[in-house]
Structures are given as structure tokens and as C-alpha cells.
Amino acid sequence: MPRIYLSPPDISALDHSSVSAVLTSNWVAPVGPHLNEFESGVAGRSGTKHAVALNSGTAALHLALKVLGVGAGDKVICPSLTFAASANPICYLGAEPIFVDSEPRTWNMDPTLLEQALEQEEGISAVIVVHLYGQCAEMDAILELCQRYKVPLIEDAAEALGASYRGRPAGSMGELSFFSFNGNKIITTSAGGMLVSDDEKLIKEAEYLATQAREPVAHYEHKAIGYNYRMSNVLAGLGISQLADLDRRIAVRRAHFEAYGESFSDLSGVVMMPISEEADPNYWLTCLTIDPEVAGTDRNKVIAALGDAGIEARPIWKPLHMQPVFEHSRAYGGACAERLYEHGMCLPSGSSLSEVDREEVIAIVRSCF
Ligand SMILES: *Cc1c(COP(=O)(O)O)cnc(C)c1O
């Protein structure tokens, strides 16, 4: 077991008292006043009008696709360089994912290849854009394309709560957007997610489906197949106190990114994840690439050296077009994501990471060069 994790939960005395207050109130169910408060908080923070708290980000994406009418035989565009949960819900609905490569400026979906996919594919029902590692994709170009081709856009902002693009919050730019509060994300409810939108009808429909599609009558009437996807009110209590700490967390994670960047600036072959001019990231994880031709070491050796010292470091997400489960899916491009996966890694970046521990990580990375 590592001593220093990539992104562990950061729990304070305020979280203890917030959860304890929920227990005292006896609202121990997937309904209650803390859910409403947490939903308004996240809607406010993401610049959206409506929100529904769910038991995971994956459930949020599933419902987003469902309320947009995605079904069997449809196609949905998704970036290749992301976590599998960005694509799995497409398959839950019997639809087909079409993968699009990254561009090197932000590591997110390449608008040029997105245009190719929109031009060539028939029956695209939605586009999912991911703001990887807390930095927004090139949204101006992506939004323009989705408007031009009249395809709804879903933002997978699971990793990007608190980030923004040209001053617009992550989560405010798509038809629907979602956040994750899994244990490793910038704020956590242990497990949890939130679907947000300016469209009240879509959020109401998602909330209805998330609560077993129960009609508002006493005798259990059902006209649709529902899900049990709502967040517990107890966990919403944790979400409220975590959200109140978001700005501090972004500042700490940013300080990690900057300290790592300065400490590695003299190491040849090391390139930090680029930050684009338009993006104001939340610095969820510090990522970098190591070019073995220049560095005299490689990503795997650095991860192994950190592992020997009890420090968790991980490769960049393995692209979905390379995953066995998606081997028959179509993909536009792929070389950029493949190169990032081959040479890229993430370093411990948690908001509870101490400076002493960060210095140890830096010393071990440097010792590999
Ligand atoms: C964490 C994550 C998800 C899934 O969120 P869960 O709450 O774990 O279901 C989806 N997309 C991305 C990019 C993620 O990092």
C-alpha cells in the first residue's frame, strides 16, 4: 500500500460536523434538505440553473444520454483519451461510441477530427466532450461544430469542477453537464455525481428516472422503466462542506502543479501538461510527459522508482480505442492519445499532500535523470 496517494480524499473537522448534522436531522434517505442545498451549491458554482444529485458521475452521464433520447443504434461521439466511464453509458443504451483523438494543446478532443466525424458519420445523436485532468477542451470550436451540425453537447466535467474556459465555468457550456464526487476527485461525497443544465425539463426528467420513474401519486404508479440513481442526503451533507472548501483545494493543487513544473524545468525530455490561454483549470492532477529519447529514462522507470518509495503515480488514461472492450469501435485519429498514453504520467496532487511529501516526490523523480 502506498504512503503517498495520487489524489486521496481530503476530510476536515467541518466535514465531520456537516455529516453529523445530517444524522442528527434524521434525513437519512435519498431525499432531504441537504440534497437541495448541495444541488443549488453546485448549480451556482457551475453557472447553471438546475441540478440533480446522483449516486455517481456514470449514472449522471447515463441519464444525460437517456433524456436526450439516445437509444439503440444511435451513435455518440466521445474522446478516446479518457476514463472508460465517459463511454460506457453509451453502450448501456445500445448506442455506439465513435472515438475522436486528442489535440496536443489541451490533450482534449481535437475539433478538426470532431468535424471529420460529424461530416462522415450518419446518425450522431450526441457529442460528449471531456475536460481532462481539470482543463477545459477547446470549447469555442467544439460548440460551433455542435451548433452547425445540430447535435447536443454533453460536458463530462467529472474532473473539472471549478475550472473555466474564457471565464465560463466548466459545466455551463453543454446542453447537459455532469460532475463526479468519487473519492479521488477534487471534492468527494465518497461516491456521487451531479447532472446540471439550464433546461429545467431535462433535469426534472432525469430526477424522475433516477427515482424509479415513480409517478407523483400514493399508489406506486409507473409509466416508464426507472433507475435507483439518487444521491443519499447523508452524502449531500458531506458534499456541502467539501464544496465550501473548493477554492482552497484549487489553489493547493495549482501550487503543486507549479512547484513540480519549476523543479523539473531543467530536466530534459520532461514536458508538463500544457495549459491553454483560454483555460483556467482546477489543476486536478499534475501530469507530464517524458520523452525517453532525450531524457535517458522513461515514464515506467519513474513510476517504478516512486512505487518503490511508497508513492503512487499512474500513467495517463489508456485511450479507449486501444481498449479490448472497444476494439471494434470506430475511431478518428488516435496517434496523439497513444503518444500521451505511452509517455505521460500523473503525480501525487491531492489537496492534503504536504510540502514535505511533495519534496520527496520531486527528489525521487529527479534521481531517475
Ligand atoms: C471519475 C470520472 C467519471 C465517472 O465518475 P464516477 O462518479 O466515478 O462514476 C467519468 N468521467 C471521467 C473523465 C472521470 O474522471
Side-chain angles (χ1 to χ4, degrees):
M1 292 287 270
R3 280 178 303 117
I4 301 176
Y5 286 93
L6 207 58
S7 181
D10 184 357
I11 302 296
S12 74
L14 271 175
D15 295 312
H16 285 257
S17 54
S18 188
V19 173
S20 174
V22 182
L23 294 174
T24 306
S25 78
N26 210 37
W27 281 101
V28 182
V31 57
H34 301 87
L35 269 172
N36 302 342
E37 186 183 338
F38 186 40
E39 285 167 348
S40 330
V42 171
R45 188 66 210 224
S46 60
T48 55
K49 295 200 181 96
H50 305 283
V52 58
L54 302 164
N55 56 20
S56 71
T58 309
L61 179 55
H62 186 188
L63 292 180
L65 292 164
K66 181 105 189 147
V67 300
L68 288 175
V70 173
D74 291 347
K75 293 176 188 165
V76 177
I77 294 177
C78 170
S80 181
L81 190 68
T82 183
F83 180 47
S86 302
N88 285 339
I90 302 169
C91 304
Y92 301 168
L93 292 164
E96 186 193 330
I98 307 282
F99 295 117
V100 168
D101 199 3
S102 295
E103 40 79 17
R105 271 183 84 229
T106 70
W107 296 8
N108 289 308
M109 190 155 70
D110 184 332
T112 311
L113 291 170
L114 170 63
E115 182 168 14
Q116 267 181 34
L118 286 166
E119 191 59 45
Q120 285 170 34
E121 299 287 338
E122 301 273 324
I124 297 289
S125 307
V127 171
I128 300 168
V129 65
V130 181
H131 305 313
L132 211 62
Y133 300 115
Q135 172 169 228
C136 286
E138 294 190 352
M139 292 304 290
D140 279 347
I142 291 168
L143 283 164
E144 191 275 318
L145 285 167
C146 288
Q147 270 157 20
R148 175 146 43 102
Y149 286 86
K150 299 191 169 47
V151 180
L153 179 69
I154 300 171
E155 285 179 79
D156 175 345
E159 304 174 0
L161 182 67
S164 60
Y165 175 87
R166 292 191 195 278
R168 282 180 284 169
S172 69
M173 295 171 274
E175 236 80 61
L176 287 151
S177 307
F178 72 96
F179 301 101
S180 166
F181 313 118
N182 193 5
N184 63 349
K185 297 299 192 322
I186 194 158
I187 71 166
T188 185
T189 58
S190 132
M194 184 97 60
L195 185 64
V196 300
S197 178
D198 281 341
D199 188 330
E200 182 172 20
K201 233 178 106 228
L202 293 179
I203 295 295
K204 285 281 169 243
E205 177 72 9
E207 183 173 345
Y208 161 77
L209 292 172
T211 46
Q212 311 280 24
R214 224 164 52 208
E215 293 297 321
V217 291
H219 62 264
Y220 300 102
E221 177 96 350
H222 299 277
K223 297 176 182 164
I225 298 296
Y227 304 87
N228 186 4
Y229 273 179
R230 201 73 160 107
M231 178 183 282
S232 150
N233 190 62
V234 178
L235 298 182
L238 179 55
I240 291 166
S241 50
Q242 291 268 306
L243 184 64
D245 192 37
L246 178 60
D247 287 325
R248 182 195 67 85
R249 288 165 185 241
I250 295 172
V252 172
R253 286 182 189 254
R254 179 180 187 145
H256 294 328
F257 179 87
E258 284 167 0
Y260 284 131
E262 274 163 37
S263 309
F264 303 148
S265 59
D266 62 328
L267 300 179
S268 48
V270 173
V271 179
M272 304 298 289
M273 181 174 92
I275 306 295
S276 83
E277 262 168 49
E278 301 83 8
D280 205 352
N282 70 2
Y283 298 90
W284 176 52
L285 293 184
T286 291
C287 305
L288 50 81
T289 55
I290 299 173
D291 180 351
E293 307 275 308
V294 187
T297 184
D298 63 37
R299 188 274 311 276
N300 289 341
K301 288 186 188 134
V302 175
I303 290 180
L306 289 165
D308 289 344
I311 298 167
E312 183 187 30
R314 295 274 186 102
I316 297 298
W317 301 120
K318 179 172 180 176
L320 298 182
H321 75 271
M322 296 171 75
Q323 299 286 357
V325 69
F326 293 121
E327 68 182 344
H328 301 299
S329 299
R330 269 204 302 294
Y332 285 78
C336 179
E338 283 168 30
R339 191 187 56 79
L340 290 169
Y341 168 61
E342 195 184 345
H343 300 309
M345 63 180 288
C346 315
L347 288 170
S349 310
S351 48
S352 56
L353 177 72
S354 69
E355 275 180 44
V356 173
D357 286 351
R358 190 175 73 204
E359 285 307 313
E360 190 185 341
V361 176
I362 289 169
I364 291 164
V365 172
R366 290 189 62 86
S367 75
C368 297
F369 285 76

